[in-house]
Amino acid sequence: RGVIAHFVSRPLTLQLGAAQQRDSDDGEISHQDDVVAARYSHLLQSAKSTTERRSATTKEFTSDSAQQSFATNPHRNLQTSTARAKKKGGLYNTYQTSPLHQGYGTHYATIWVGTPAQRKSVIIDTGSHFTAFPCKGCDDCGEEHHTDKYFDPDASTTFRALGCLECNGSVCDEGRCVFSQTYTEGSSWHAYESIDKVFIGGKELSSALNPINNSFKTDFLFGCQVKETGLFVTQLADGIMGMSAHPSTLPRAMYEQGKLEHNMFSMCFRRELHVSKQGIVAGMLTLGGIDSRKDFAPMVYARNVAKSGWFTVYVKNVFIREKGGQSAKADDKTQTLEKIPVDLYRMNSGKGVIMDSGTTDTYLHESIAAPFEKVWKRVTGGRTYSNAPVKMEEKDLLLLPTVLIQLAAYDEVGSPLQGDLEKFPGLAGKDVDPTSPMDVLLAVPATHYMEYSPSKGTYTPRIYFTESAGGVIGANAMQGHNVLFDWENQRVGFAESSCEYQEESKTVTDDGNVMSVDCRLGAPSLSVSCSDSADLSRCDGGGGGVDSTALEGLEIWTRVVQAPGTPHGMSCTEVAEEQNEDNGGGPMEVNCDGKGVCREVRKCIISCANAIAHGTAVGKAPTGLSPIGSCGAVTWSACDYTCSQTKVESVMMSDGKCHEEKNADGGGGQVTRPCHVQACGRSDPCRVPFVVHAILKVRGAVASRWTKHAEEIFTDAYASILNERILPKTRLFDSGDVVILNASPWRASDDTIFGTSSLENGEDKELGMQLVVEISLFNPNAELPPVSVLLNRGAGKEIPLATCHERDLQPLASKASTIHKKLAQKNFIYLVVEEMKKNKSLEERQSSPFYYTFEDRRFARASQVVTSWTIKTDIGVGSSPRIDFNAFTTGDLTMDLILLAFLVIVSAYLCWSLRLWPSWRRSGGEKISNGTSPRSSRRRNKYHRANGRSDDNDSVMAVTDGETYCDDRSLRSGMTEMSTISEAGEPSASSLGSLSVYLAKTSGRSNGH
C-alpha cells in the first residue's frame, strides 16, 4: 500500500509522548471489543422517558407508527391509527453538483478559496475530518507535482488566520493556531487554522465566476499547510478534504450556514486509466441532495450505525457469484451465489466497517480470508486468490466472480411497491436472505476490484483480508455507484450508476432541481403601461397644440419565476427588491402570487400627448406602438410552493419593451395550471408520496437541440399516452406533474462495459438522446398549509408541511403500478412520438430535437424505455420500530411496558457484568488478534493536534485502569457481552450478531436518526 498508486488517507495517532499512550495493548483491545454489536442495535436507548419518545413519535411519525401498530394488533384504536400526520422525507432533489477528477488511485475535487477566488484541488476523503492544502511559504510541499500553485493568503481580502484566543484543540504558536495530522501510510502535514470563503466547482475559471456556484460561498475553517511529508508532496491533488460525519467538514458548514437544504452529499466514481494535471473527469460530487440523473437503478439504503465520526455500515454477509456481472442483480438466473462464512462479531468489531473514499482498495476482516479463498477456488475452477498481479484478456476478466457485500438495511419494513424485491438491483431479496430482504447488496465486480496497469498489462486483485478489527469499504467498491452519505437521516445510499459528469452547457436539466439557493426571476414583461393607468380626463382634448400636461400613473411588470429557490435562500420578493435597488430603481411594490409569477408595481409620469399616442385602457387603439418581434418561446414558469405554474404570453413592441399580450376582451395573456414537481412537495411526502422515475432512449433524437419548449411538447405527449383510455376523473397525472431531469446524448459507448476501447475503430457514434423523466403522484387528500404562509416566507424560513392519512397511499401505489405497465408497452415511445407530431405549437419540425425521429419511423420503433422504478418519498425512521402510545389499548400498553421494564433490568445486569470483562481477558480469555498484518497496529481515523488532544469521538465505553464504566451510551455496548463462549474460547457467531438484530427488531433503535 505504500506506493503512489494506492494512496490512502487514514489519519494515524501522532505519538507525542509515552505518557499519552495506553497503559497496555490489552486494555485498548478490550475497549474495541466492547463496542462491536452496539453498532447495529440501538436498543437500550429506548429506555428513555416515555414522554420524550411520545413527543418524537407524535410530531413527525404518528401516522406511520399507528398504521404499523394497527396492522399488527386489531384491538388497537382504529381512530388513532388513521390520524393525520406529517411525514419525514422528500425527493432531496435540490443540490449543487460538480465534477470529480482522477488522481493517483483516488479522486479529487476542485474548490475555490478566497476573494478573488484561487483554485485548489483536494482529495475527497470520507475517512478523515479536516481540509488542508499548501499555502505560500510551505516548506518543500511539492508545488511542481500539484495541479495548482500554493494558496496565497495575502491575495485574498477575506482570508483570516485564527488568533490564539480562538484555538480549539490546537496549540498557539507564534500567534497562530497550529495542528498536525499523520496518515496510515506514513504521510503527514502541519498547518495553521484559517478561515476564508470556499465553494466547490469545476476547474475552469468560468466556474469561479458562475453566480450559481458563488451563491454557495461558505465561511470555512481549513488548515493552511506549512509542511508536508510522504505522498502529500508527490500526489497530484494540492491537498485533502475530509468528508466524514464530523462538524469540521465543508458540507456540514454549508448546511449550518443555510447554503444546503439538507445535511447530506453523494459521490459517484468512475475509473479512468489516465491521469493529467489538466484534469481527467472521472465522476461527480453532489452536495445537499441526490442527483439521480445518471443512475440506472433505484437508490437503496443501508443504516449508518455510527452517530458521528465515520459513516459506518454493518456487514452481515459476503457472497461470491460465479460468472461475474456488473450489477447486484445477476445477468442469468443460473448463476450460483456462494455464501462466505462471516463472524459478525469480528467483521464489525473495533470502529466497524467504514465507508472510506480516501482508501483506494477494500479491506475486510482477516477471519474470512481462508473461507473466501476456498470458495473462490471452487467457483473459478481451481484458480487461487491472491493479491499478486496476473495477465488476462478482457473477456476473461468479465468471467471472474463478482463479490457481493450484504449490509444491514436502513428500513427493514420497505415500501408497498417493493413486493417483488428481486426486481430491485441492490436489495438482497427473499432469495438471498429471507429474514432480511430489504438489506443492501453491494456488488463489486472484477472490473472494479481488479486494478489494471496499462504499462504492464496486468490486473491486480485489490480486496484484502488483513484487518484484525472491522474493515474498510474503499473507493474500488464504491465505483460504479452513486453513494449517498446522509448524515441527516443516519443512512448510506447506493444506486448503480454510470457516474458520468456532464457540464451544464452540454446537458439539459430541470432548473428547479439543479439547486439555486435564491429565487431566480425571468426578464420582465410590461402588463400595464403608464398610459393604460393614467387619468386622461386631465388632458386638453379639444386644443390643437401638443398637450404636455404631466400625468401620474402606474406601471405593472410581470416576471416569471424560473426557480423558487430554497427555504434558506432569498424569496422571490426579496430578490426583486434587491435587484431593483442594485439597478437604481425607485420605490416599488412586489407581489408574488405563488403561482410562478411576480408583479412589480412602480409609479410613473407620462405626458398627455404620449399617453394618447400610445393608446389607453379607455378605448383608444395604440397608434404609436407596433409589434416588432418575439420575446422568446412562451413556456411555463417553475412550479412554485403553492403547486401552481403560469405561462405569460408577451410580444416585443416598437418601444423595445416586452408587453404582455391582451386577449380579445382586454384581459391579460396569462394561463395558470396545477403542478406537483420542483418546489411543490419535493420536501413533503404527504403532498407527493410517490415519484415514478423512467429512463428513455430515443433513437435519432439530437440532445443539442433540446429546449424548454421541446420539453413541454414532449411532456404533453408523454402524459397524453400514459393517460390514454383513462377516464378524466381518474387520470393518473397531468402534464404539470412531469419533469425532465436530464436530456443528454445517447452514445454507443453507453451500452458497453469498457467504453470507447471496446468499440469498433474506437468511434463513439451518437445514436440518439437519453431522457430521464419523473412523474409526481400527488395526494389530492393531503391537507395543505394555508397559502398565505407559503407566500409570506422570508429567507431562512422553512416551508410548512402538509398532513395526510396512510390510507391515502394505496390508490397512489396502484397508479404507479399502472404507469409501469404502460411504460412496458413495446411501442410506447413510438406512440409518444406520433402524439408529439399533433402538437400545434411544434412550428418548424426541422428545429425540433425529434426531427429525424419524426421523419423515420424506424427510429421511433427502435427507441426504448430502458427501465423505470418508483421512489417512495417517505423515508420513515429507518429500522427503528416506532411506538405510538396513543395507539395502544390499556392491555397492550401494560404488556409492552412490562417488556420494556424487563429489558431495562437485563441491560442493567449486563452493564454490571461488564466489570468482570477486563479481568477475564487478563486471566487468559480469548483476545481478538492484533496480529502481524501490515494494518493491524495502525489506528485508523484518529488524529492528534499539536497539543496531543485526540478527537476520536466514536467511543461509547469509558475504560480506565482496566475497569469499564457504563453510562447512557455504554448501555448499548453492554449487549455485546451477551455472547456465548465456545470451548475454544471464541465468541459464537450466532450470538452477538443475531442477538443484536433480534433485540433491535423487538425494541427499536431510537438513536438511529
Side-chain angles (χ1 to χ4, degrees):
R1 295 189 70 194
V3 296
I4 292 179
H6 294 88
F7 173 79
V8 292
S9 48
R10 302 282 53 74
L12 181 69
T13 303
L14 285 177
Q15 300 298 333
L16 300 180
Q20 296 173 343
Q21 301 181 22
R22 298 270 186 180
D23 289 340
S24 68
D25 289 339
D26 286 353
E28 187 169 11
I29 292 170
S30 174
H31 170 69
Q32 296 293 346
D33 292 346
D34 286 341
V35 297
V36 181
R39 303 196 174 284
Y40 186 49
S41 70
H42 301 279
L43 160 72
L44 294 180
Q45 287 293 334
S46 62
K48 290 183 177 180
S49 69
T50 57
T51 303
E52 180 180 346
R53 290 170 54 80
R54 179 174 178 178
S55 175
T57 303
T58 55
K59 280 183 180 178
E60 293 187 339
F61 311 117
T62 302
S63 179
D64 196 29
S65 305
Q67 189 269 343
Q68 284 196 10
S69 300
F70 183 77
T72 56
N73 191 334
H75 299 293
R76 290 181 181 169
N77 190 304
L78 175 62
Q79 184 176 1
T80 303
S81 67
T82 57
R84 285 187 175 274
K86 299 176 182 179
K87 287 183 173 291
K88 179 182 180 182
L91 288 173
Y92 302 108
N93 61 356
T94 54
Y95 48 75
Q96 181 198 17
T97 186
S98 60
L100 292 176
H101 294 87
Q102 184 72 62
Y104 299 139
T106 57
H107 291 73
Y108 67 86
T110 299
I111 60 174
W112 295 87
V113 186
T115 308
Q118 301 176 46
R119 186 180 68 182
K120 306 304 299 175
S121 58
V122 286
I123 290 172
I124 300 297
D125 182 19
T126 58
S128 63
H129 305 326
F130 300 110
T131 297
F133 43 81
C135 290
K136 185 179 178 181
C138 192
D139 182 18
D140 191 23
C141 294
E143 188 175 38
E144 66 276 16
H145 299 289
H146 301 330
T147 60
D148 301 289
K149 294 182 178 297
Y150 296 157
F151 176 75
D152 185 358
D154 297 332
S156 173
T157 59
T158 50
F159 175 87
R160 183 173 69 85
L162 266 60
C164 288
L165 295 179
E166 300 173 285
C167 296
N168 181 21
S170 52
V171 167
C172 178
D173 183 14
E174 297 182 358
R176 300 188 299 194
C177 299
V178 178
F179 68 110
S180 306
Q181 190 162 355
T182 297
Y183 296 78
T184 313
E185 38 67 42
S187 302
S188 66
W189 49 260
H190 300 264
Y192 59 92
E193 292 180 321
S194 310
I195 292 179
D196 209 336
K197 303 287 185 182
V198 177
F199 65 93
I200 296 179
K203 62 183 180 62
E204 298 81 9
L205 180 60
S206 58
S207 180
L209 302 177
N210 186 311
I212 294 180
N213 286 344
N214 272 269
S215 69
F216 292 97
K217 276 184 179 177
T218 302
D219 294 315
F220 183 56
L221 176 68
F222 58 89
C224 217
Q225 292 174 346
V226 295
K227 185 178 181 180
E228 291 180 340
T229 66
L231 296 180
F232 277 109
V233 177
T234 56
Q235 70 181 29
L236 183 62
D238 302 325
I240 189 168
M241 183 160 69
M243 299 283 280
S244 64
H246 190 274
S248 298
T249 59
L250 180 59
R252 177 70 179 188
M254 295 176 69
Y255 172 72
E256 289 179 344
Q257 294 179 36
K259 304 299 182 180
L260 299 180
E261 190 170 358
H262 297 287
N263 184 19
M264 61 181 67
F265 65 91
S266 66
M267 54 181 67
C268 205
F269 294 151
R270 296 166 64 93
R271 178 187 290 171
E272 301 295 340
L273 297 179
H274 305 286
V275 176
S276 168
K277 275 193 173 185
Q278 283 67 46
I280 302 295
V281 176
M284 56 185 177
L285 174 67
T286 303
L287 300 173
I290 305 172
D291 183 356
S292 61
R293 293 175 293 171
K294 290 299 179 179
D295 298 348
F296 42 75
M299 184 165 282
V300 293
Y301 299 95
R303 174 166 285 276
N304 174 23
V305 296
K307 293 184 65 177
S308 63
W310 293 271
F311 293 95
T312 310
V313 292
Y314 190 89
V315 174
K316 296 173 70 174
N317 283 307
V318 177
F319 301 91
I320 290 179
R321 186 176 64 208
E322 67 168 357
K323 299 178 183 178
Q326 300 296 300
S327 172
K329 184 179 179 182
D331 297 332
D332 189 335
K333 291 183 179 180
T334 63
Q335 289 177 277
T336 60
L337 199 63
E338 297 268 2
K339 183 177 178 180
I340 311 297
V342 173
D343 184 334
L344 296 179
Y345 181 85
R346 293 187 175 186
M347 177 65 77
N348 298 282
S349 60
K351 287 191 178 296
V353 180
I354 66 170
M355 300 294 301
D356 187 357
S357 62
T359 294
T360 308
D361 308 325
T362 293
Y363 295 82
L364 299 178
H365 197 271
E366 59 189 5
S367 63
I368 70 168
F372 183 92
E373 292 171 7
K374 183 179 179 181
V375 174
W376 175 279
K377 193 170 185 177
R378 183 168 65 248
V379 169
T380 58
R383 186 191 295 267
T384 301
Y385 183 86
S386 74
N387 299 112
V390 294
K391 287 184 177 289
M392 63 175 61
E393 300 292 331
E394 284 184 351
K395 59 182 180 65
D396 298 321
L397 178 69
L398 295 177
L399 293 176
L400 285 180
T402 295
V403 178
L404 298 112
I405 305 173
Q406 183 180 345
L407 310 175
Y410 171 76
D411 189 345
E412 294 175 353
V413 178
S415 78
L417 298 178
Q418 292 172 327
D420 191 356
L421 297 174
E422 280 64 37
K423 291 184 179 179
F424 284 75
L427 289 181
K430 294 180 180 178
D431 290 344
V432 174
D433 190 343
T435 62
S436 302
M438 295 301 298
D439 280 354
V440 171
L441 211 56
L442 176 63
V444 190
T447 51
H448 296 175
Y449 67 76
M450 297 290 287
E451 185 182 61
Y452 179 65
S453 170
S455 61
K456 299 178 181 178
T458 59
Y459 291 90
T460 304
R462 296 298 185 186
I463 298 179
Y464 297 86
F465 303 96
T466 56
E467 300 303 281
S468 60
V472 178
I473 294 179
N476 62 348
M478 299 185 209
Q479 185 179 329
H481 292 86
N482 189 8
V483 183
L484 175 71
F485 296 87
D486 185 355
W487 193 357
E488 181 173 307
N489 299 302
Q490 285 295 109
R491 58 183 183 166
V492 180
F494 301 87
E496 296 178 3
S497 176
S498 68
C499 298
E500 179 187 6
Y501 176 81
Q502 289 180 294
E503 295 181 22
E504 297 303 323
S505 60
K506 298 179 181 178
T507 185
V508 178
T509 56
D510 168 41
D511 285 338
N513 283 34
V514 176
M515 183 175 172
S516 175
V517 176
D518 299 330
C519 169
R520 290 208 313 272
L521 297 172
S525 294
L526 187 59
S527 299
V528 177
S529 67
C530 204
S531 59
D532 290 336
S533 60
D535 180 9
L536 294 186
S537 62
R538 296 178 53 201
C539 297
D540 181 9
V546 176
D547 190 345
S548 59
T549 303
L551 303 176
E552 290 185 351
L554 294 175
E555 284 186 340
I556 302 179
W557 295 82
T558 300
R559 302 183 69 179
V560 168
V561 177
Q562 296 178 336
T566 68
H568 295 288
M570 295 176 63
S571 68
C572 294
T573 299
E574 292 166 335
V575 168
E577 290 172 345
E578 183 181 80
Q579 291 178 351
N580 180 63
E581 183 178 347
D582 292 343
N583 294 330
M588 176 187 76
E589 293 184 7
V590 182
N591 174 34
C592 296
D593 62 5
K595 299 179 180 180
V597 165
C598 290
R599 293 177 178 84
E600 301 174 350
V601 182
R602 297 181 176 88
K603 291 182 178 180
C604 61
I605 296 176
I606 189 172
S607 67
C608 281
N610 286 334
I612 294 171
H614 290 168
T616 70
V618 292
K620 292 196 175 184
T623 57
L625 295 178
S626 59
I628 60 173
S630 170
C631 291
V634 179
T635 58
W636 292 100
S637 69
C639 189
D640 216 328
Y641 291 100
T642 59
C643 301
S644 299
Q645 57 188 167
T646 301
K647 181 186 290 186
V648 180
E649 302 275 355
S650 58
V651 62
M652 180 70 72
M653 302 298 285
S654 55
D655 62 354
K657 300 176 182 177
C658 281
H659 290 246
E660 182 182 337
E661 285 192 313
K662 302 292 191 294
N663 53 32
D665 59 3
Q670 296 185 19
V671 182
T672 300
R673 72 177 184 185
C675 59
H676 304 105
V677 295
Q678 299 169 345
C680 170
R682 70 182 173 204
S683 299
D684 194 341
C686 273
R687 290 202 209 186
V688 181
F690 300 109
V691 170
V692 178
H693 184 105
I695 301 174
L696 286 62
K697 290 185 176 179
V698 185
R699 194 69 182 259
V702 182
S704 59
R705 296 183 180 181
W706 187 261
T707 62
K708 186 69 175 176
H709 184 57
E711 175 183 334
E712 293 183 2
I713 292 174
F714 175 84
T715 55
D716 285 344
Y718 192 75
S720 177
I721 297 302
L722 285 173
N723 281 291
E724 204 170 42
R725 299 179 183 176
I726 303 289
L727 295 175
K729 290 185 178 181
T730 58
R731 282 176 65 87
L732 300 172
F733 62 94
D734 292 309
S735 298
D737 302 330
V738 184
V739 67
I740 308 297
L741 298 185
N742 182 252
S744 58
W746 166 23
R747 300 187 182 278
S749 60
D750 296 335
D751 300 330
T752 67
I753 295 174
F754 295 104
T756 56
S757 63
S758 59
L759 299 176
E760 185 178 351
N761 301 323
E763 185 178 359
D764 195 9
K765 294 181 180 179
E766 187 171 331
L767 305 179
M769 178 167 59
Q770 177 173 285
L771 295 172
V772 181
V773 189
E774 281 191 347
I775 302 168
S776 293
L777 297 182
F778 177 66
N779 178 12
N781 297 318
E783 188 173 299
L784 304 180
V787 174
S788 58
V789 176
L790 296 174
L791 297 182
N792 297 325
R793 72 175 187 89
K797 293 184 179 178
E798 297 289 345
I799 301 301
L801 299 178
T803 59
C804 57
H805 288 290
E806 285 290 331
R807 63 170 178 254
D808 298 338
L809 303 187
Q810 190 54 51
L812 298 175
S814 300
K815 283 187 176 184
S817 298
T818 302
I819 292 172
H820 287 298
K821 290 176 183 177
K822 286 177 170 284
L823 288 171
Q825 296 177 82
K826 214 170 189 180
N827 61 341
F828 174 76
I829 294 184
Y830 172 81
L831 296 175
V832 173
V833 170
E834 292 299 308
E835 185 69 17
M836 282 193 289
K837 291 181 182 179
K838 302 175 186 177
N839 196 304
K840 295 180 180 178
S841 65
L842 187 58
E843 299 176 353
E844 296 184 7
R845 285 190 180 183
Q846 289 84 350
S847 60
S848 170
F850 300 101
Y851 172 69
Y852 299 109
T853 314
F854 289 155
E855 295 299 305
D856 191 337
R857 291 188 174 183
R858 292 176 299 176
F859 283 151
R861 295 189 186 279
S863 302
Q864 58 182 309
V865 177
V866 179
T867 186
S868 65
W869 61 81
T870 300
I871 301 169
K872 185 184 179 186
T873 60
D874 171 26
I875 68 168
V877 289
S879 299
S880 303
R882 277 79 75 190
I883 297 179
D884 180 6
F885 287 94
N886 291 323
F888 285 75
T889 63
T890 304
D892 294 326
L893 184 59
T894 301
M895 291 301 297
D896 287 335
L897 287 176
I898 291 173
L899 176 60
L900 184 61
F902 171 75
L903 291 173
V904 171
I905 293 171
V906 171
S907 61
Y909 170 75
L910 294 175
C911 199
W912 176 84
S913 299
L914 282 177
R915 297 176 59 195
L916 304 178
W917 178 254
S919 59
W920 177 84
R921 293 175 60 87
R922 287 193 295 269
S923 66
E926 187 270 344
K927 294 186 292 186
I928 300 299
S929 170
N930 61 353
T932 57
S933 154
R935 295 173 51 82
S936 61
S937 63
R938 302 185 180 123
R939 294 291 173 262
R940 191 181 306 108
N941 298 315
K942 290 185 181 179
Y943 71 92
H944 270 273
R945 293 179 180 248
N947 66 348
R949 288 178 54 187
S950 173
D951 192 14
D952 180 13
N953 58 1
D954 235 10
S955 301
V956 295
M957 296 289 288
V959 180
T960 306
D961 296 329
E963 294 200 4
T964 306
Y965 295 89
C966 296
D967 57 16
D968 286 343
R969 294 173 297 167
S970 62
L971 285 174
R972 295 180 290 128
S973 299
M975 293 194 306
T976 67
E977 305 310 324
M978 285 190 64
S979 61
T980 58
I981 306 299
S982 65
E983 290 182 1
E986 293 188 359
S988 167
S990 64
S991 57
L992 288 175
S994 58
L995 176 65
S996 62
V997 173
Y998 169 75
L999 292 176
K1001 285 183 177 178
T1002 55
S1003 290
R1005 291 175 286 278
S1006 61
N1007 255 352
H1009 57 279

